[in-house]
Amino acid sequence: MTLVSPNGRWRNPSDDEIVHFLKAAKRIAIVGLSSNPARPSNEVARFLLSKGYEIVPVNPQETEVLGLKAYPDLRSVPGVIDLVDCFRRSEAVGETIDEGLSLGIKNFWLQERIRDEGRGLVIRQKWGFIIMDRCIAKEYARLMK
């Protein structure tokens, strides 16, 4: 798996790798999940629920989202998390990645317009999986036929 393209820019995993990962992940913590149905995080969560994923809302401003108990941070979530899907600004996502890594989580999905290439390289070098600047729902719809 190549981490960067020949021009030195970040390269996300291949479509085949993404398909394999989407099939393997079962429990997804969505950091920044909002109870507002007009927010992209809420729309993505509803989509993923419809595809059979277990969703765990993580947002200190929420107590419940889509009928699911919300947690203030990743540390508070009981059980195993297969993937952390981040709806946080790029400048704040590092905190979420660091928290996840400290808990042994190695798989992250950063939604559209969210990037942290430095931490992305660290994750990939530790055999983790990370996607940046892509919507998980759009990628699922595109790849999982």
Side-chain angles (χ1 to χ4, degrees):
M1 169 177 24
T2 304
L3 302 177
V4 293
S5 64
N7 66 3
R9 297 192 45 129
W10 173 261
R11 179 184 288 173
N12 277 318
S14 70
D15 286 354
D16 287 342
E17 291 170 304
I18 295 170
V19 167
H20 175 77
F21 187 76
L22 287 172
K23 287 180 179 178
K26 303 293 181 222
R27 189 166 193 243
I28 302 173
I30 302 182
V31 176
L33 178 52
S34 171
S35 60
N36 180 344
R39 300 293 304 223
S41 63
N42 189 283
E43 183 179 351
V44 166
R46 285 184 279 123
F47 176 85
L48 293 173
L49 282 167
S50 78
K51 299 303 178 188
Y53 291 98
E54 180 184 349
I55 299 303
V56 180
V58 178
N59 187 332
Q61 306 304 313
E62 303 283 0
T63 57
E64 184 178 289
V65 180
L66 300 171
L68 303 167
K69 177 179 172 44
Y71 297 89
D73 51 41
L74 291 173
R75 289 188 197 299
S76 302
V77 176
V80 175
I81 297 170
D82 297 321
L83 172 67
V84 175
D85 185 15
C86 297
F87 281 89
R88 295 194 72 190
R89 297 176 323 278
S90 291
E91 57 272 12
V93 78
E95 179 182 313
T96 298
I97 291 171
D98 291 346
E99 180 184 24
L101 289 171
S102 76
L103 297 170
I105 300 168
K106 293 185 178 183
N107 305 309
F108 299 85
W109 195 295
L110 309 185
Q111 289 294 137
E112 292 175 329
R113 296 177 299 282
I114 304 171
R115 303 178 69 84
D116 188 327
E117 293 181 15
R119 283 184 178 86
L121 290 171
V122 169
I123 290 165
R124 298 273 285 274
Q125 290 165 349
K126 292 183 177 191
W127 305 106
F129 180 90
I130 184 165
I131 296 280
M132 291 188 215
D133 195 19
R134 289 197 191 166
C135 174
I136 192 170
K138 290 177 184 176
E139 291 299 299
Y140 185 100
R142 180 177 74 86
L143 297 170
M144 303 292 281
K145 310 249 183 219

